Amino acid sequence: MGTVLGAMRNVRWHELQHAYGSASQVPGVLSRIAWGDAPTSDEALSDLERWISTPPVFDSTAATVPFLWELAATDSVRDRAGVLDLLATILAAGNAEHPAWTRAAHDAGAAGRATAARLAAAPDTPEAGGPSPARTVRAAATRLLAAIDRHACPACAGLPPRGA
């Protein structure tokens, strides 16, 4: 198994776009989510949400989603619940002008269903002084799992199934 986010180097980020232009900054933001302290990680997650999912999705969104699943599954990531919530936001977002981008982003989101199910079933590990991080992740994963299972949108219904 490779390092967390190791496959990012295989994506041509400079050829992709997000809400404010080139997606070439996305790898750095994903790295800040993975390894940053709490304020840095929170800011990076907020930036990424604005760039790739609100309100429309972009061609960079589908490229980013597999790395979000990787972060959600990595215990050392500080805000795994926030990453899962971003995945749910992406699943609910779309781009009427580019339904193929929407479909690709939604397919990438649904592809992580097994990870969401595993995280939703994770045992609680109580910690003193507040809600358990595992409980927060489990709750976010449960919400995302429900969103995946009930997902229906014009872009996903209007295109043939992937691989057809």
Side-chain angles (χ1 to χ4, degrees):
M1 187 170 175
T3 61
V4 174
L5 303 178
M8 279 194 310
R9 67 182 171 277
N10 300 326
V11 177
R12 295 176 166 212
W13 296 103
H14 65 282
E15 294 177 5
L16 302 175
Q17 296 292 307
H18 62 57
Y20 302 101
S22 170
S24 61
Q25 316 92 322
V26 170
V29 172
L30 288 167
S31 294
R32 289 182 12 230
I33 294 168
W35 297 292
D37 60 15
T40 300
S41 179
D42 290 347
E43 180 183 358
L45 195 55
S46 177
D47 287 347
L48 194 60
E49 183 172 2
R50 281 193 334 273
W51 292 355
I52 68 168
S53 70
T54 36
V57 297
F58 297 86
D59 58 350
S60 63
T61 307
T64 304
V65 168
F67 300 108
L68 292 173
W69 278 118
E70 188 175 351
L71 293 173
T74 302
D75 290 336
S76 61
V77 171
R78 293 183 187 276
D79 190 3
R80 295 166 60 207
V83 172
L84 291 163
D85 288 340
L86 177 54
L87 285 162
T89 299
I90 291 167
L91 191 63
N95 189 324
E97 293 180 22
H98 299 283
W101 292 354
T102 300
R103 175 64 183 263
H106 293 178
D107 283 351
R113 188 188 185 290
T115 299
R118 182 178 57 77
L119 294 172
D124 196 12
T125 53
E127 288 189 11
S132 159
R135 185 177 304 150
T136 306
V137 169
R138 191 171 61 241
T142 299
R143 288 190 303 271
L144 179 54
L145 194 56
I148 291 169
D149 288 347
R150 71 175 182 265
H151 178 72
C153 75
C156 294
L159 293 174
R162 283 245 182 238

